[in-house]
Amino acid sequence: MKKLLIVGMATAVLMGSTLAAAATDAEKAIEYRQGVFNTIKWNFGPMAGMVKGKIDFDAAEFARRADAVAALATMPGEGFIEGSGVGDTGAKPAIWENKEKFDEGMDALAKNAAALAVAAKSGDMDIIKPAFGQLGKTCKGCHDDFREKD
Ligand code: HEC
């Protein structure tokens, strides 16, 4: 019984590594873009908390996170390769049916994230707030059109 279990485990490990090695380009692209979005979210969350007054405003931390999001915002677009609309993804087929509009959304993401990073340097919440609102709208606008609801 014990021996069977060990053989079974070894087989599972072997199968796992074979599967990992066989990850398709589409699977890698999905993992890549989701990773970028989750890294954006990691930084976006505390900024949202500060804008809403739920977390004490720390101008230096806000500026650091805004810089991170500005850099990250240029990155997810390249992960939407042809054929990566199936599998473990929330990406809608509409992306590839209307790629021009989707790419415009990605450009808006980069532009508005860069604008927030500039606004954040002021350390002034009155300047930061509208820039943050604009960026938040960009996320939501694209998700409404191109991302499956959870
Ligand atoms: C131009 C379109 C677009 C913009 C702009 C956009 N997203 Fe997304 N986002 C997507 C799509 C499409 C997915 C689904 C990706 C997938 O599952 O393959 C997604 C997925 C996500 C996910 C889930 C990742 C996962 O693990 O499933 C998070 C979190 C996220 N976006 C956060 C944001 C935030 C925060 C912003 C704004 C700062 C933003 N997104 C802006 C299109 C966009």
Side-chain angles (χ1 to χ4, degrees):
M1 185 65 200
K2 201 171 174 193
K3 202 170 172 192
L4 249 183
L5 197 69
I6 289 167
V7 170
M9 275 164 62
T11 311
V13 168
L14 264 174
M15 276 174 65
S17 55
T18 312
L19 281 177
T24 63
D25 286 349
E27 284 166 345
K28 284 186 227 164
I30 291 167
E31 205 173 305
Y32 164 73
R33 69 201 185 207
Q34 289 179 345
V36 176
F37 279 127
N38 283 314
T39 313
I40 289 176
K41 185 182 168 192
W42 175 271
N43 288 283
F44 195 81
M47 289 197 288
M50 288 186 214
V51 169
K52 289 177 190 154
K54 288 184 184 161
I55 304 174
D56 286 343
F57 178 48
D58 177 333
E61 184 196 335
F62 196 103
R64 176 174 68 77
R65 296 197 184 283
D67 278 344
V69 170
L72 290 160
T74 65
M75 297 179 191
E78 69 181 281
F80 290 89
I81 61 169
E82 203 62 49
S84 65
V86 289
D88 191 9
T89 176
K92 284 188 182 170
I95 292 169
W96 292 274
E97 288 156 11
N98 203 348
K99 197 67 171 43
E100 210 165 299
K101 189 181 172 206
F102 182 75
D103 289 342
E104 276 170 23
M106 279 296 164
D107 289 345
L109 174 63
K111 188 172 139 268
N112 292 329
L116 177 63
V118 172
K121 303 252 181 320
S122 70
D124 180 348
M125 192 42 94
D126 289 342
I127 293 171
I128 290 171
K129 211 171 196 165
F132 186 82
Q134 193 63 40
L135 180 60
K137 262 193 229 159
T138 314
C139 314
K140 187 175 182 308
C142 185
H143 289 170
D144 285 349
D145 290 339
F146 295 114
R147 184 185 168 199
E148 300 287 355
K149 303 266 174 299
D150 291 317

